[in-house]
Amino acid sequence: MALSITDECINCTICEPDCPNNAVFPGLTHYEIDPDRCTECENFFATPMCQEVCPVDCIMSIS
């Protein structure tokens, strides 16, 4: 599984440094998550850190 950042992203940059896999990066209009690198923080944290720190709840699970 992986996570995805929706269009509601406000480009606050808070999530990028918290990703242990360096999967979060600035996209053309908002931050994005590389699904090939995202592990939802498995083996690092109990919950995905980007979701924990996001102030607008714009990071969702994708199948």
Side-chain angles (χ1 to χ4, degrees):
M1 282 231 214
L3 299 172
S4 178
I5 299 176
T6 68
D7 291 339
E8 284 79 34
C9 176
I10 59 172
N11 292 309
C12 68
T13 73
I14 292 172
C15 60
E16 185 179 19
D18 286 325
C19 179
N21 298 306
N22 297 315
V24 180
F25 62 95
L28 292 176
T29 58
H30 58 77
Y31 273 77
E32 298 181 26
I33 297 176
D34 180 344
D36 293 328
R37 298 184 97 172
C38 179
T39 63
E40 295 190 25
C41 291
E42 189 174 305
N43 298 319
F44 291 100
F45 302 102
T47 59
M49 290 308 295
C50 59
Q51 285 181 321
E52 290 290 318
V53 300
C54 182
V56 292
D57 271 343
C58 68
I59 303 173
M60 308 295 165
S61 290
I62 59 174
S63 305

